[in-house]
Structure formats: structure tokens, C-alpha cells
Short mmCIF file of all heavy atoms in Angstrom, two decimals:
data_model
loop_
_atom_site.label_atom_id
_atom_site.label_comp_id
_atom_site.label_asym_id
_atom_site.label_seq_id
_atom_site.Cartn_x
_atom_site.Cartn_y
_atom_site.Cartn_z
N GLU A 1 12.00 -0.79 9.51
CA GLU A 1 12.34 -0.89 8.10
C GLU A 1 11.25 -0.25 7.24
O GLU A 1 11.54 0.43 6.24
CB GLU A 1 12.52 -2.35 7.69
CG GLU A 1 12.98 -2.52 6.25
CD GLU A 1 13.17 -3.97 5.84
OE1 GLU A 1 12.98 -4.87 6.70
OE2 GLU A 1 13.49 -4.20 4.67
N GLY A 2 10.00 -0.46 7.63
CA GLY A 2 8.90 0.16 6.90
C GLY A 2 8.98 1.68 6.94
O GLY A 2 8.73 2.35 5.93
N LEU A 3 9.31 2.23 8.09
CA LEU A 3 9.47 3.67 8.19
C LEU A 3 10.60 4.16 7.28
O LEU A 3 10.47 5.18 6.60
CB LEU A 3 9.75 4.07 9.64
CG LEU A 3 8.62 3.86 10.65
CD1 LEU A 3 9.10 4.26 12.04
CD2 LEU A 3 7.38 4.66 10.27
N ASP A 4 11.71 3.42 7.27
CA ASP A 4 12.85 3.80 6.44
C ASP A 4 12.49 3.77 4.95
O ASP A 4 12.98 4.58 4.16
CB ASP A 4 14.04 2.89 6.70
CG ASP A 4 14.66 3.09 8.08
OD1 ASP A 4 14.41 4.16 8.69
OD2 ASP A 4 15.38 2.19 8.55
N LEU A 5 11.63 2.83 4.58
CA LEU A 5 11.22 2.69 3.18
C LEU A 5 10.15 3.71 2.78
O LEU A 5 9.84 3.83 1.59
CB LEU A 5 10.70 1.27 2.92
CG LEU A 5 11.73 0.15 2.90
CD1 LEU A 5 11.03 -1.20 2.82
CD2 LEU A 5 12.68 0.31 1.72
N GLY A 6 9.59 4.39 3.76
CA GLY A 6 8.53 5.34 3.45
C GLY A 6 7.18 4.68 3.22
O GLY A 6 6.37 5.21 2.43
N ILE A 7 6.94 3.57 3.88
CA ILE A 7 5.66 2.89 3.74
C ILE A 7 4.54 3.85 4.15
O ILE A 7 4.58 4.48 5.21
CB ILE A 7 5.62 1.61 4.61
CG1 ILE A 7 6.64 0.59 4.10
CG2 ILE A 7 4.22 1.00 4.62
CD1 ILE A 7 6.45 0.13 2.67
N GLU A 8 3.52 3.97 3.29
CA GLU A 8 2.44 4.92 3.52
C GLU A 8 1.43 4.44 4.56
O GLU A 8 0.84 5.24 5.28
CB GLU A 8 1.69 5.19 2.21
CG GLU A 8 2.53 5.81 1.11
CD GLU A 8 1.74 5.95 -0.17
OE1 GLU A 8 0.60 6.48 -0.12
OE2 GLU A 8 2.23 5.51 -1.22
N GLY A 9 1.20 3.15 4.58
CA GLY A 9 0.18 2.62 5.49
C GLY A 9 -0.07 1.16 5.18
O GLY A 9 0.79 0.46 4.66
N SER A 10 -1.26 0.72 5.48
CA SER A 10 -1.60 -0.70 5.37
C SER A 10 -2.81 -0.88 4.44
O SER A 10 -3.82 -0.20 4.62
CB SER A 10 -1.93 -1.25 6.76
OG SER A 10 -2.40 -2.57 6.70
N PRO A 11 -2.67 -1.80 3.45
CA PRO A 11 -1.48 -2.59 3.11
C PRO A 11 -0.64 -1.87 2.06
O PRO A 11 -1.14 -1.05 1.29
CB PRO A 11 -2.10 -3.85 2.50
CG PRO A 11 -3.32 -3.33 1.78
CD PRO A 11 -3.85 -2.21 2.66
N GLN A 12 0.62 -2.20 2.02
CA GLN A 12 1.50 -1.73 0.95
C GLN A 12 2.30 -2.93 0.46
O GLN A 12 3.01 -3.56 1.23
CB GLN A 12 2.41 -0.60 1.42
CG GLN A 12 3.12 0.11 0.28
CD GLN A 12 3.38 1.57 0.57
OE1 GLN A 12 2.75 2.15 1.44
NE2 GLN A 12 4.30 2.17 -0.16
N VAL A 13 2.15 -3.22 -0.81
CA VAL A 13 2.74 -4.41 -1.41
C VAL A 13 4.00 -4.03 -2.18
O VAL A 13 3.98 -3.13 -3.02
CB VAL A 13 1.73 -5.10 -2.35
CG1 VAL A 13 2.36 -6.33 -3.01
CG2 VAL A 13 0.47 -5.50 -1.59
N GLN A 14 5.08 -4.73 -1.88
CA GLN A 14 6.36 -4.47 -2.54
C GLN A 14 6.71 -5.65 -3.44
O GLN A 14 6.84 -6.78 -2.98
CB GLN A 14 7.46 -4.26 -1.50
CG GLN A 14 8.82 -3.89 -2.09
CD GLN A 14 9.88 -3.72 -1.02
OE1 GLN A 14 9.94 -4.50 -0.08
NE2 GLN A 14 10.69 -2.69 -1.15
N ILE A 15 6.82 -5.39 -4.75
CA ILE A 15 7.17 -6.43 -5.69
C ILE A 15 8.68 -6.58 -5.75
O ILE A 15 9.42 -5.74 -5.22
CB ILE A 15 6.56 -6.15 -7.08
CG1 ILE A 15 7.06 -4.81 -7.64
CG2 ILE A 15 5.03 -6.17 -7.00
CD1 ILE A 15 6.53 -4.51 -9.04
N PRO A 16 9.19 -7.65 -6.37
CA PRO A 16 10.63 -7.93 -6.30
C PRO A 16 11.55 -6.83 -6.80
O PRO A 16 12.71 -6.77 -6.37
CB PRO A 16 10.77 -9.21 -7.15
CG PRO A 16 9.46 -9.90 -6.98
CD PRO A 16 8.46 -8.79 -6.95
N ASP A 17 11.08 -5.96 -7.71
CA ASP A 17 11.98 -4.90 -8.20
C ASP A 17 12.05 -3.72 -7.25
O ASP A 17 12.75 -2.74 -7.52
CB ASP A 17 11.57 -4.44 -9.60
CG ASP A 17 10.25 -3.67 -9.63
OD1 ASP A 17 9.59 -3.58 -8.57
OD2 ASP A 17 9.88 -3.16 -10.70
N GLY A 18 11.34 -3.80 -6.12
CA GLY A 18 11.38 -2.75 -5.11
C GLY A 18 10.23 -1.77 -5.17
O GLY A 18 10.01 -1.01 -4.23
N ALA A 19 9.48 -1.76 -6.27
CA ALA A 19 8.33 -0.86 -6.39
C ALA A 19 7.24 -1.28 -5.41
O ALA A 19 7.05 -2.47 -5.14
CB ALA A 19 7.79 -0.88 -7.81
N THR A 20 6.53 -0.30 -4.85
CA THR A 20 5.48 -0.61 -3.89
C THR A 20 4.13 -0.07 -4.37
O THR A 20 4.07 0.91 -5.13
CB THR A 20 5.79 -0.02 -2.50
OG1 THR A 20 5.78 1.41 -2.57
CG2 THR A 20 7.12 -0.52 -1.97
N HIS A 21 3.08 -0.72 -3.90
CA HIS A 21 1.71 -0.36 -4.29
C HIS A 21 0.86 -0.29 -3.03
O HIS A 21 0.71 -1.29 -2.33
CB HIS A 21 1.14 -1.38 -5.26
CG HIS A 21 1.97 -1.55 -6.50
ND1 HIS A 21 1.69 -0.91 -7.68
CD2 HIS A 21 3.10 -2.29 -6.73
CE1 HIS A 21 2.59 -1.24 -8.59
NE2 HIS A 21 3.46 -2.07 -8.04
N PHE A 22 0.32 0.89 -2.74
CA PHE A 22 -0.48 1.08 -1.54
C PHE A 22 -1.93 0.68 -1.81
O PHE A 22 -2.55 1.14 -2.77
CB PHE A 22 -0.41 2.53 -1.07
CG PHE A 22 -1.32 2.82 0.11
CD1 PHE A 22 -1.07 2.26 1.35
CD2 PHE A 22 -2.43 3.63 -0.04
CE1 PHE A 22 -1.90 2.52 2.43
CE2 PHE A 22 -3.27 3.89 1.02
CZ PHE A 22 -3.00 3.34 2.27
N ASN A 23 -2.46 -0.21 -0.96
CA ASN A 23 -3.85 -0.68 -1.05
C ASN A 23 -4.23 -0.96 -2.50
O ASN A 23 -5.13 -0.31 -3.06
CB ASN A 23 -4.81 0.33 -0.43
CG ASN A 23 -6.10 -0.32 0.04
OD1 ASN A 23 -6.25 -1.54 0.03
ND2 ASN A 23 -7.05 0.51 0.45
N PRO A 24 -3.59 -1.95 -3.12
CA PRO A 24 -3.75 -2.17 -4.56
C PRO A 24 -5.21 -2.31 -5.01
O PRO A 24 -5.98 -3.11 -4.47
CB PRO A 24 -2.99 -3.48 -4.79
CG PRO A 24 -2.01 -3.54 -3.69
CD PRO A 24 -2.69 -2.94 -2.51
N GLY A 25 -5.55 -1.51 -6.01
CA GLY A 25 -6.85 -1.62 -6.65
C GLY A 25 -8.01 -0.97 -5.93
O GLY A 25 -9.10 -0.86 -6.48
N VAL A 26 -7.80 -0.54 -4.69
CA VAL A 26 -8.91 -0.01 -3.89
C VAL A 26 -8.66 1.45 -3.55
O VAL A 26 -7.57 1.81 -3.10
CB VAL A 26 -9.10 -0.81 -2.59
CG1 VAL A 26 -10.24 -0.23 -1.75
CG2 VAL A 26 -9.38 -2.28 -2.91
N THR A 27 -9.65 2.28 -3.79
CA THR A 27 -9.59 3.69 -3.42
C THR A 27 -10.72 3.98 -2.44
O THR A 27 -11.87 3.64 -2.70
CB THR A 27 -9.74 4.61 -4.66
OG1 THR A 27 -8.74 4.25 -5.62
CG2 THR A 27 -9.58 6.06 -4.27
N ILE A 28 -10.36 4.61 -1.33
CA ILE A 28 -11.33 4.89 -0.25
C ILE A 28 -11.25 6.36 0.12
O ILE A 28 -10.17 6.96 0.11
CB ILE A 28 -11.01 4.05 1.00
CG1 ILE A 28 -10.89 2.57 0.65
CG2 ILE A 28 -12.06 4.26 2.09
CD1 ILE A 28 -10.02 1.81 1.61
N ARG A 29 -12.37 6.94 0.45
CA ARG A 29 -12.38 8.27 1.05
C ARG A 29 -13.30 8.25 2.26
O ARG A 29 -14.24 7.46 2.34
CB ARG A 29 -12.84 9.33 0.04
CG ARG A 29 -14.28 9.22 -0.41
CD ARG A 29 -14.62 10.29 -1.43
NE ARG A 29 -15.93 10.09 -2.01
CZ ARG A 29 -17.06 10.57 -1.48
NH1 ARG A 29 -17.02 11.27 -0.37
NH2 ARG A 29 -18.22 10.33 -2.06
N TRP A 30 -12.97 9.11 3.20
CA TRP A 30 -13.77 9.21 4.42
C TRP A 30 -14.67 10.44 4.34
O TRP A 30 -14.24 11.51 3.94
CB TRP A 30 -12.86 9.31 5.64
CG TRP A 30 -12.22 8.01 6.01
CD1 TRP A 30 -11.10 7.46 5.48
CD2 TRP A 30 -12.70 7.07 6.99
NE1 TRP A 30 -10.83 6.24 6.06
CE2 TRP A 30 -11.80 5.99 6.99
CE3 TRP A 30 -13.80 7.05 7.85
CZ2 TRP A 30 -11.96 4.89 7.83
CZ3 TRP A 30 -13.94 5.96 8.70
CH2 TRP A 30 -13.05 4.89 8.69
N GLU A 31 -15.92 10.24 4.73
CA GLU A 31 -16.89 11.34 4.73
C GLU A 31 -17.77 11.23 5.97
O GLU A 31 -18.47 10.24 6.15
CB GLU A 31 -17.75 11.29 3.45
CG GLU A 31 -18.66 12.48 3.28
CD GLU A 31 -19.35 12.48 1.92
OE1 GLU A 31 -18.64 12.38 0.90
OE2 GLU A 31 -20.60 12.58 1.91
N ARG A 32 -17.68 12.22 6.82
CA ARG A 32 -18.46 12.26 8.07
C ARG A 32 -18.28 10.97 8.88
O ARG A 32 -19.23 10.41 9.42
CB ARG A 32 -19.94 12.51 7.78
CG ARG A 32 -20.23 13.84 7.10
CD ARG A 32 -21.72 14.10 6.94
NE ARG A 32 -22.34 13.05 6.13
CZ ARG A 32 -22.33 13.00 4.81
NH1 ARG A 32 -21.70 13.95 4.12
NH2 ARG A 32 -22.93 12.02 4.17
N GLY A 33 -17.03 10.51 8.96
CA GLY A 33 -16.72 9.34 9.76
C GLY A 33 -17.07 8.02 9.11
O GLY A 33 -17.00 6.97 9.78
N ILE A 34 -17.41 8.03 7.82
CA ILE A 34 -17.80 6.81 7.12
C ILE A 34 -16.84 6.57 5.97
O ILE A 34 -16.62 7.46 5.15
CB ILE A 34 -19.24 6.92 6.58
CG1 ILE A 34 -20.23 7.14 7.72
CG2 ILE A 34 -19.62 5.67 5.79
CD1 ILE A 34 -21.64 7.44 7.26
N PRO A 35 -16.25 5.36 5.88
CA PRO A 35 -15.39 5.05 4.73
C PRO A 35 -16.23 4.71 3.51
O PRO A 35 -17.11 3.84 3.57
CB PRO A 35 -14.58 3.85 5.22
CG PRO A 35 -15.47 3.19 6.22
CD PRO A 35 -16.30 4.27 6.86
N LEU A 36 -15.97 5.39 2.42
CA LEU A 36 -16.70 5.15 1.17
C LEU A 36 -15.73 4.61 0.12
O LEU A 36 -14.65 5.18 -0.09
CB LEU A 36 -17.34 6.45 0.68
CG LEU A 36 -18.31 7.12 1.66
CD1 LEU A 36 -18.79 8.46 1.08
CD2 LEU A 36 -19.50 6.22 1.96
N ILE A 37 -16.11 3.53 -0.52
CA ILE A 37 -15.26 2.92 -1.54
C ILE A 37 -15.54 3.60 -2.88
O ILE A 37 -16.65 3.55 -3.40
CB ILE A 37 -15.53 1.41 -1.64
CG1 ILE A 37 -15.21 0.73 -0.31
CG2 ILE A 37 -14.72 0.79 -2.77
CD1 ILE A 37 -15.65 -0.71 -0.22
#
């Protein structure tokens, strides 16, 4: 079902109107194997 909905990854939060939010509030990037917030 997640694949059918186009879930991007973990976590993805779906509110009652169907809208989804990927990793709410947090932005991460990877640099040289290290996750940076």
C-alpha cells in the first residue's frame, strides 16, 4: 500500500485528508558518509 501511495521513505506521516509529510520538521543531508542535520 505504501508503494502504491508513493511513500518516499521513513517516516512519512499521513493526516486524515490524505496529505503526507516526509520526516516532518527535520531536514538531513549526507556528507562523506555522515548525516548532518
Side-chain angles (χ1 to χ4, degrees):
E1 184 180 358
L3 293 178
D4 291 342
L5 288 172
I7 295 300
E8 298 176 50
S10 174
Q12 192 148 341
V13 178
Q14 184 181 42
I15 59 178
D17 70 354
T20 66
H21 303 263
F22 175 68
N23 205 6
V26 179
T27 304
I28 308 154
R29 66 181 172 87
W30 285 84
E31 187 172 306
R32 298 185 300 279
I34 299 173
L36 302 176
I37 299 170

